[in-house]
Amino acid sequence: MKFSFLNPTKIEFGQGQIASIKNNIPKGSKVLVIYGGGSIKKNGVYDQVVAALAEHTWQEFSGVEPNPIVETLDKAVAIVKQHAIDFILAVGGGSVIDGAKYVAAAALYNGDGWDILLGKHQVNQAIALGAILTIPATGSESNGASVVTKAATQDKLAFISPLVFPKFAVMDPDVMKTLPQRQLANGIVDAFVHTCEQYLTFPADAMVQDGYAESLLKILAELAKNFNKQDDTWRANLMWTANQALNGLIGAGVAQDWATHMIGHELTAMYGVDHARSLAIVQPSLLRNQMGHKKAKLEQMGRHVFALPQSDALAEQTIQTIEALYHSLDVATQLTDYGNDKNIAIEAIIAQLAKHGMLKMGEHKAITLEKAKEILEAAVA
Ligand code: NZQ
Ligand code: ZN
């Protein structure tokens, strides 16, 4: 085990915590509040932000779409440059927070911001940002990752920089009350897959990372079983679990996979599948395809997370239990909506993976394009 770990984001957790932004955003800042399609105007979050910012100078940028697109975000970059904005407040889910991270980095770069996603420009400065989370799922509120799509070319790419960690993340579980069932289910699945991406690799005897990952997986399975968004503790536990699944801790010093995400991002970019749903489509087929590498960890997960008995079929039973969990949330594990021709769809996805350099994915770099094709053949109905 060898790692550096720093998560600098201050967490403001609990009911009523939106008011804390008043003290967490430096006085005298010129603030840009960035949000999405308007859910925050219907559930009172916007009003709470307005009240908390009474003593700040601020303006707003709305309309960041789910799976944010650079074409929209670049309009916010122009505003930041024009008005010398020096603090960005993201109010929304992963899409808004990821979008705000892009804006924070692109606004201090003289070239085309898309260079950051292409890896042509390494982020070396970013405007300070904070987040008010409205949907627990991605962990973006306290990590350094951002995923942005270029609509013109259907490229969905990520960048990671320690400079775009939010300074603070407000997590008030009450904001989840207006989330539709679909988004709550997405959140559970996304957090579950994030944990798997950092856990379902090969045994490394990392007892803290394994034990904590198993706890998170057990909690998510339990929350899925006792789905109850009216319950204060249910909401609080889901919000905190999804955050912990991708704040860097369980991935520290252990092998990570992320191939499900890389293939899933292509499904979202090409077919508009919700992020979490793209993962549920890919993951079971990927786990079966990579059984040779992942068997020991799948068996460990079966025993420790799902309390399944040891047997020769344990790894496969673990995958079936994962599928049953997603199905119980009305989340499909196969892609059904891709146009008429399965082969054309698969070829198109493989071509995008090739274009994005995803030639050797997974913890063993064993998921080649050939393997990705096998996975998709099983995952596309
Ligand atoms: O835009 P508004 O009107 O706010 O509506 C949103 C959106 O339509 C709605 N919503 C959010 N909070 C709500 C609400 N509706 C009612 N009440 C509320 N309290 O929910 C919809 C989905 O929002 P979105 O932000 O897209 O969801 P999510 O948090 O799942 O984010 C998905 C994005 O995050 C990326 C994904 O690729 C995708 O682009 N990811 C980011 C990661 C990261 N930064 O670490 C990791 C993830 O693996 C993921 O790739
Ligand atoms: Zn995800």
Side-chain angles (χ1 to χ4, degrees), residues 67 138 156 190 194 261 265 268 273-280:
N67 308 303
T138 63
K156 181 167 181 156
D190 196 20
H194 292 161
H261 269 73
H265 284 172
T268 299
V273 185
D274 288 359
H275 171 64
R277 282 159 205 268
S278 77
L279 307 175

Side-chain angles (χ1 to χ4, degrees), residues 41-80:
K41 290 221 163 155
K42 291 186 204 130
N43 62 11
V45 170
Y46 181 84
D47 294 337
Q48 291 182 64
V49 171
V50 171
L53 291 182
E55 290 161 24
H56 282 83
T57 304
W58 65 279
Q59 56 188 295
E60 64 183 57
F61 180 85
S62 64
V64 176
E65 44 293 278
N67 308 303
I69 62 172
V70 70
E71 288 89 342
T72 299
L73 298 172
D74 278 337
K75 293 177 190 159
V77 171
I79 292 172
V80 171

Side-chain angles (χ1 to χ4, degrees), residues 194-266:
H194 292 161
T195 311
C196 291
E197 298 274 30
Q198 300 162 89
Y199 167 82
L200 275 180
T201 57
F202 50 84
D205 291 327
M207 294 168 81
V208 170
Q209 294 87 329
D210 275 11
Y212 198 32
E214 287 163 0
S215 289
L216 298 175
L217 293 170
K218 268 195 274 193
I219 294 163
L220 290 164
E222 172 123 3
L223 293 171
K225 200 169 149 205
N226 303 313
F227 200 100
N228 182 8
K229 81 160 179 174
Q230 306 309 330
D231 184 60
D232 282 356
T233 54
W234 187 89
R235 290 193 310 274
N237 281 313
L238 177 54
M239 198 170 231
W240 188 225
T241 310
N243 173 270
Q244 295 293 292
L246 197 49
N247 76 341
L249 184 63
I250 59 170
V254 297
Q256 302 189 15
D257 183 341
W258 295 106
T260 294
H261 269 73
M262 293 307 110
I263 302 173
H265 284 172
E266 303 299 357

Side-chain angles (χ1 to χ4, degrees), residues 12 24 47 56 88 110 139 166 211 231 262 288-289 295 316 375 378:
E12 297 281 12
N24 280 316
D47 294 337
H56 282 83
I88 294 174
N110 279 332
D231 184 60
M262 293 307 110
R288 288 197 175 93
N289 185 275
K295 190 162 187 239
E316 169 58 28
I375 291 164

Side-chain angles (χ1 to χ4, degrees), residues 64-324:
V64 176
E65 44 293 278
N67 308 303
I69 62 172
V70 70
E71 288 89 342
T72 299
L73 298 172
D74 278 337
K75 293 177 190 159
V77 171
I79 292 172
V80 171
K81 287 181 172 173
Q82 191 190 344
H83 296 272
I85 296 292
D86 56 14
F87 199 97
I88 294 174
L89 177 65
V91 188
S95 295
V96 167
I97 301 170
D98 283 7
K101 289 173 178 175
Y102 168 84
V103 173
L108 295 184
Y109 170 55
N110 279 332
D112 177 2
W114 189 246
D115 289 349
I116 297 168
L117 281 302
L118 293 176
K120 284 188 193 165
H121 170 67
Q122 209 62 41
V123 176
N124 51 25
Q125 48 181 340
I127 290 175
L129 76 149
I132 298 176
L133 182 67
T134 64
I135 163 170
T138 63
S140 183
E141 66 277 9
S142 67
N143 70 35
S146 164
V147 189
V148 178
T149 299
K150 184 173 246 189
T153 50
Q154 293 183 310
D155 293 318
K156 181 167 181 156
L157 300 175
F159 78 94
I160 297 179
S161 167
L163 296 165
V164 297
F165 270 90
K167 303 290 174 206
F168 63 82
V170 176
M171 284 183 252
D172 176 349
D174 275 359
V175 305
M176 295 163 62
K177 285 179 179 168
T178 51
L179 274 169
Q181 149 88 19
R182 177 187 185 87
Q183 295 300 341
L184 287 163
N186 285 355
I188 294 174
V189 171
D190 196 20
F192 196 89
V193 179
H194 292 161
T195 311
C196 291
E197 298 274 30
Q198 300 162 89
Y199 167 82
L200 275 180
T201 57
F202 50 84
D205 291 327
M207 294 168 81
V208 170
Q209 294 87 329
D210 275 11
Y212 198 32
E214 287 163 0
S215 289
L216 298 175
L217 293 170
K218 268 195 274 193
I219 294 163
L220 290 164
E222 172 123 3
L223 293 171
K225 200 169 149 205
N226 303 313
F227 200 100
N228 182 8
K229 81 160 179 174
Q230 306 309 330
D231 184 60
D232 282 356
T233 54
W234 187 89
R235 290 193 310 274
N237 281 313
L238 177 54
M239 198 170 231
W240 188 225
T241 310
N243 173 270
Q244 295 293 292
L246 197 49
N247 76 341
L249 184 63
I250 59 170
V254 297
Q256 302 189 15
D257 183 341
W258 295 106
T260 294
H261 269 73
M262 293 307 110
I263 302 173
H265 284 172
E266 303 299 357
L267 298 187
T268 299
M270 299 188 69
Y271 301 104
V273 185
D274 288 359
H275 171 64
R277 282 159 205 268
S278 77
L279 307 175
I281 287 166
V282 174
Q283 190 200 32
S285 297
L286 184 144
L287 294 176
R288 288 197 175 93
N289 185 275
Q290 293 295 299
M291 184 68 94
H293 296 297
K294 293 184 182 287
K295 190 162 187 239
K297 235 22 202 315
L298 279 165
E299 291 185 344
Q300 183 180 328
M301 180 172 172
R303 285 193 308 273
H304 293 183
V305 176
F306 297 131
L308 297 171
Q310 184 62 46
S311 80
D312 290 347
L314 178 54
E316 169 58 28
Q317 278 167 3
T318 303
I319 299 172
Q320 287 173 13
T321 310
I322 295 171
E323 286 174 319

